[in-house]
């Protein structure tokens, strides 16, 4: 693994910190990874012991140098001297390691000789230079392709206001073919430049525009889910479908992607916008289509409190927002639900039971004032399919760098809130014990009786008794939770942006880490390296500054917190370079 040369005395403290951090990561992997039983942790042994798959079947590419990837949520791996062999089909043939630079070059020459001896053409060779390394491509589990045109605007509004003022008018413009093609081309090109090799796209309600998005993605070589958005109620007259037309058009886009494009990189995904814009008949029809074609499903869930209340009013006989989707066959082990901020324990358990993937869209949740998802709680409760989404244009950037950073910030907000809540409980318990000799009751943080709160909700006409009872339990759960939720680490955020996202999309057997047999979806990164005197190299990227005291782990941490598209030299999807030189 991370076998570094013995440092000089000036570097000793940093080197020791690096070893301690590496050991901590390995300790976590060996002692607390119960929620990741299907992880890629076996790669720890196979990569280090030079195991290969079909190494003689012909190679198109050899990449030699450092790599970083995640084997599970709690197991982040750095291989300082590695060679990744990519087959002619674009899959990872082997990941081999060496003990030093000389041994790495010898190994590389051996691989080249072996390829020629097998009668294959000589593969291309990429030797990573100083400050360069290899990482898996980013996986964006939730992004709106047509909204790229107004990304970065409207964040003084809340979600429902923003949809009316920005989203619906701009998406309606994609009925015009030239505008759709030009806009989608720019959006897809930008996501690739930012290192997104796999994306789950929302399109618009238009069949032809959705075909155009699929065409653009296919031509660009990106791996993607393509969804024609469905809306047959609670939408403006200029941007709405009939139920029958929506279902018929969805069938046509599925058949177009499967039969006309017919690429393993492009997948149709059933895409009801969200419950408020889809009738019961439409949701049932879409659930039936997903079952008929065995398709993934994507939508939005519990993004804002007002949205949750609206769903309760629209479906008063179904207990929760999540249960509405479930009732119509839209919660499956191929479903991706974005946001999921305001879920009750019943809903969280339901999603876990159904095997639903959750796309954490922290940037959008902040920008549109929606709330802060407690992602660590989902981890504690055993949710295995968790990833990140940019949610552009709800999020201000289509870059997964920002998605990682905003997820970390959101987790720190949750950590601070939970720490203060726990301290408040402890203080009240101490005061009660001191004054009365007894502990307070669990509901003392919410002195108003639940039944009174339920009746108040009914009098205001906001919910049925059943809905308000569920919401009362949710409020009490939060108020009485004394758990202090730890913030995300940079390595956990990176996992969520790569292998975690692949799990959410159900493609973790194909991408997300450097495991032999998976496709080579990868980024060649350059963070630049400064000299001992801290003078920047003129040719190095200006956003990440690496100094002589930085070890491999601190260098990677800087990449997560400071990196952007300037640090991405090349983007590979299935072994083919699709962006960069």
């Amino acid at each position: 693994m991370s076998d570094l040369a013995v440092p000089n005395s000036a570097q000793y403290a940093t080197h020791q910190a690096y070893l301690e951090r590496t050991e901590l990561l390995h300790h976590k992997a060996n002692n607390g990874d119960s929620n990741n039983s299907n992880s890629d942790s076996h790669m720890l042994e196979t990569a280090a012991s030079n195991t290969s798959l079909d190494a003689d079947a012909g190679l198109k590419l050899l990449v030699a140098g450092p790599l970083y990837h995640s084997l599970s949520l709690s197991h982040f791996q750095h291989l300082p001297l590695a060679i990744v062999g990519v087959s002619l089909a674009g899959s990872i043939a082997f990941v081999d390691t060496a003990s030093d630079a000389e041994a790495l070059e010898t190994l590389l020459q051996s691989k080249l000789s072996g390829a020629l001896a097998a009668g294959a053409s000589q593969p291309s060779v990429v030797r990573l230079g100083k400050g360069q390394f290899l990482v898996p491509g980013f996986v964006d589990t939730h992004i709106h392709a047509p909204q790229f045109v107004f990304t970065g605007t409207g964040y003084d509004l809340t979600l429902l206001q923003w949809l009316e003022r920005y989203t619906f008018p701009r998406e309606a413009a994609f009925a015009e073919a030239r505008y759709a093609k030009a806009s989608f081309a720019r959006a897809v090109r930008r996501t690739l430049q930012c290192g997104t090799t796999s994306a789950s796209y929302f399109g618009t309600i238009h069949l032809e525009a959705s075909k155009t998005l699929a065409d653009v993605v296919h031509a660009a070589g990106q791996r993607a889910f393509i969804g024609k958005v469905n809306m047959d109620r609670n939408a403006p007259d200029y941007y709405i479908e009939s139920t029958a037309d929506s279902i018929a058009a969805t069938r046509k886009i599925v058949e177009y992607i499967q039969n006309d494009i017919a690429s393993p990189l492009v997948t149709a995904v059933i895409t009801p916008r969200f419950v408020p814009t889809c009738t019961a008949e439409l949701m049932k029809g879409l659930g039936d289509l997903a079952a008929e074609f065995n398709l993934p499903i994507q939508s939005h869930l519990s993004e804002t409190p007002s949205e949750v209340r609206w769903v309760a009013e629209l479906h008063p006989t179904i207990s929760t927002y999540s249960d509405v989707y479930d009732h119509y066959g839209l919660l499956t082990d191929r479903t991706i639900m974005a946001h999921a901020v305001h879920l009750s324990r019943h809903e969280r358990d339901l999603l876990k039971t159904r095997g639903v993937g959750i796309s954490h869209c922290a940037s959008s949740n902040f920008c549109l004032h929606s709330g802060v998802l407690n992602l660590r709680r989902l981890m504690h409760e055993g949710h295995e399919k968790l990833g990140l989404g940019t949610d552009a244009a709800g999020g201000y950037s289509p870059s997964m760098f920002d998605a990682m950073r905003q997820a970390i910030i959101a987790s720190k907000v949750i950590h601070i809130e939970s720490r203060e809540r726990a301290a408040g409980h402890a203080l009240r318990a101490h005061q009660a014990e001191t004054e009365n000799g007894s502990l307070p009751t669990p509901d003392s943080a919410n002195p108003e009786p639940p039944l009174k709160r339920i009746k108040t909700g009914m009098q205001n006409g906001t919910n049925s008794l059943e809905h308000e009872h569920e919401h009362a339990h949710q409020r009490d759960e939060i108020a009485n939770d004394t758990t202090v939720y730890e913030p995300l680490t940079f390595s956990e955020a990176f996992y969520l942006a790569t292998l975690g996202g692949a799990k959410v999309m159900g493609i973790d057997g194909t991408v997300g880490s450097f495991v032999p047999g998976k496709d080579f979806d990868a980024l060649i990164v350059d963070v630049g390296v400064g000299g001992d005197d801290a003078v920047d190299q003129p040719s190095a990227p200006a956003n990440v500054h690496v100094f002589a005291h930085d070890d491999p782990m601190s260098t990677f941490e800087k990449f997560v917190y400071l990196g952007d598209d300037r640090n991405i030299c090349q983007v590979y999807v299935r072994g083919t370079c699709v962006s960069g030189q």
Side-chain angles (χ1 to χ4, degrees):
M1 257 54 64
S2 301
D3 298 324
L4 301 182
V6 177
N8 59 40
S9 58
Q11 296 173 312
Y12 182 76
T14 299
H15 179 71
Q16 285 298 106
Y18 166 70
L19 292 178
E20 290 169 5
R21 295 171 77 182
T22 303
E23 180 60 31
L24 176 62
L25 288 170
H26 285 224
H27 176 78
K28 288 175 65 179
N30 294 329
N31 293 279
D33 203 16
S34 59
N35 293 335
N36 290 278
S37 57
N38 296 320
S39 74
D40 293 333
S41 293
H42 63 280
M43 178 59 182
L44 180 64
E45 287 78 25
T46 60
S49 61
N50 299 340
T51 297
S52 61
L53 298 178
D54 298 325
D56 295 328
L59 299 173
K60 69 185 297 184
L61 177 67
L62 290 165
V63 182
L67 69 78
Y68 299 83
H69 66 162
S70 296
L71 304 174
S72 70
L73 174 65
S74 56
H75 195 164
F76 173 72
Q77 186 182 46
H78 167 231
L79 300 178
L81 295 165
I83 297 178
V84 179
V86 181
S87 74
L88 296 175
S91 62
I92 299 171
F94 58 82
V95 180
D96 289 355
T97 60
S99 58
D100 55 47
E102 183 178 350
L104 184 70
E105 183 62 28
T106 300
L107 182 61
L108 180 60
Q109 293 303 321
S110 174
K111 294 296 182 182
L112 285 170
S113 299
L116 294 175
S121 58
Q122 181 167 318
S124 300
V125 177
V126 176
R127 290 178 174 86
L128 301 181
K130 192 174 183 181
Q132 294 184 330
F133 51 84
L134 194 67
V135 298
F138 293 135
V139 181
D140 189 344
T141 60
H142 185 74
I143 180 171
H144 295 260
Q147 294 180 16
F148 179 76
V149 300
F150 64 95
T151 298
T153 58
Y155 301 132
D156 54 329
L157 304 176
T158 58
L159 172 66
L160 299 181
Q161 298 168 326
W162 181 80
L163 288 173
E164 292 180 0
R165 187 175 302 181
Y166 288 91
T167 303
F168 294 155
R170 287 272 40 94
E171 288 190 8
F174 280 74
E176 203 281 304
R178 291 178 61 188
Y179 177 77
K181 184 175 182 179
S183 300
F184 284 147
R186 291 175 66 178
V188 171
R189 182 167 62 248
R190 183 58 184 152
T191 60
L192 283 171
Q193 290 169 345
C194 292
T196 299
T197 53
S198 299
S200 190
Y201 285 116
F202 279 58
T204 68
I205 68 171
H206 313 105
L207 173 60
E208 293 307 315
S210 299
K211 288 181 178 179
T212 298
L213 175 57
D215 291 339
V216 167
V217 165
H218 180 47
Q222 191 175 45
R223 189 184 305 272
F225 288 2
I226 306 294
K228 190 208 84 68
V229 171
N230 303 101
M231 304 198 307
D232 69 340
R233 68 172 173 180
N234 295 320
D237 292 340
Y238 61 82
Y239 194 54
I240 195 169
E241 315 164 279
S242 70
T243 305
D245 287 347
S246 184
I247 293 173
T250 301
R251 178 179 290 276
K252 289 179 181 177
I253 188 63
V254 170
E255 292 172 344
Y256 179 78
I257 290 172
Q258 292 188 344
N259 301 329
D260 291 74
I261 290 183
S263 167
L265 298 180
V266 184
T267 302
V269 55
I270 298 299
T271 308
R273 178 166 228 119
F274 66 158
V275 167
T277 59
C278 297
T279 63
E281 182 182 357
L282 178 57
M283 286 189 283
K284 182 181 184 306
L286 294 175
D288 291 344
L289 275 177
E292 177 184 348
F293 289 94
N294 188 28
L295 293 173
I297 299 163
Q298 63 179 353
S299 193
H300 303 83
L301 174 64
S302 296
E303 187 171 352
T304 70
S306 58
E307 171 201 355
V308 174
R309 289 192 294 269
W310 192 11
V311 171
E313 293 168 359
L314 292 169
H315 297 271
T317 62
I318 302 178
S319 60
T320 71
Y321 196 161
S322 299
D323 282 289
V324 175
Y325 283 120
D326 193 47
H327 183 77
Y328 295 108
L330 294 169
L331 289 189
T332 75
D333 61 0
R334 300 199 69 189
T335 297
I336 303 169
M337 282 294 167
H339 304 289
V341 177
H342 307 283
L343 296 179
S344 66
R345 179 59 190 259
H346 160 73
E347 291 180 280
R348 300 195 303 272
D349 288 344
L350 175 62
L351 296 186
K352 184 174 69 171
T353 299
R354 296 288 184 264
V356 172
I358 296 175
S359 175
H360 180 26
C361 306
S363 178
S364 173
N365 293 339
F366 283 132
C367 287
L368 298 178
H369 327 160
S370 302
V372 186
L373 173 65
N374 189 338
L375 192 68
R376 183 67 73 185
R377 179 173 63 184
L378 293 175
M379 294 175 178
H380 286 181
E381 292 173 353
H383 292 261
E384 295 185 7
K385 296 166 70 173
L386 303 171
L388 303 181
T390 60
D391 195 22
Y396 62 82
S397 169
S399 171
M400 289 297 290
F401 285 102
D402 288 291
M404 286 190 286
R405 294 191 276 260
Q406 291 297 320
I408 292 171
I409 292 170
S411 73
K412 291 180 186 292
V413 172
I414 292 293
H415 170 70
I416 293 167
E417 290 179 344
S418 66
R419 184 185 64 198
E420 293 181 350
R421 186 168 56 245
H425 275 273
L427 178 60
R428 287 192 296 272
H430 176 73
Q431 291 173 338
E433 191 172 16
T434 301
E435 296 172 5
N436 306 319
S438 62
L439 295 175
T441 60
D443 200 51
S444 61
N446 257 317
E448 186 177 288
L451 183 59
K452 182 177 179 181
R453 295 197 293 276
I454 294 169
K455 289 180 177 178
T456 301
M458 291 177 63
Q459 292 167 358
N460 292 338
T462 57
N463 277 313
S464 66
L465 176 64
E466 186 176 11
H467 280 291
E468 190 59 34
H469 185 65
E470 182 70 32
H471 295 156
H473 276 300
Q474 186 176 352
R475 289 192 295 268
D476 291 344
E477 179 193 8
I478 295 172
N480 296 312
D481 187 356
T482 59
T483 304
V484 177
Y485 295 98
E486 291 302 313
L488 292 175
T489 65
F490 71 91
S491 61
E492 288 175 324
F494 179 73
Y495 162 85
L496 294 168
T498 52
L499 184 58
K503 287 179 180 290
V504 168
M505 290 181 66
I507 56 175
D508 53 300
T510 305
V511 299
S513 58
F514 295 121
V515 172
K518 289 190 177 187
D519 284 357
F520 185 72
D521 286 19
L523 313 177
I524 292 180
V525 172
D526 187 354
V527 294
V529 177
D532 291 343
D533 57 356
V535 176
D536 296 329
Q537 292 183 351
S539 61
N543 54 316
V544 180
H545 298 272
V546 180
F547 297 92
H549 65 263
D550 281 307
D551 59 46
M553 203 63 73
S554 65
T555 298
F556 190 81
E557 186 172 7
K558 286 185 173 184
F559 168 69
V560 170
Y561 278 105
L562 302 172
D564 59 32
D565 60 291
R566 289 171 289 180
N567 302 109
I568 298 174
C569 301
Q570 291 180 323
V571 179
Y572 288 85
V573 175
R574 210 182 188 198
T576 298
C577 183
V578 295
S579 182
Q581 299 298 321

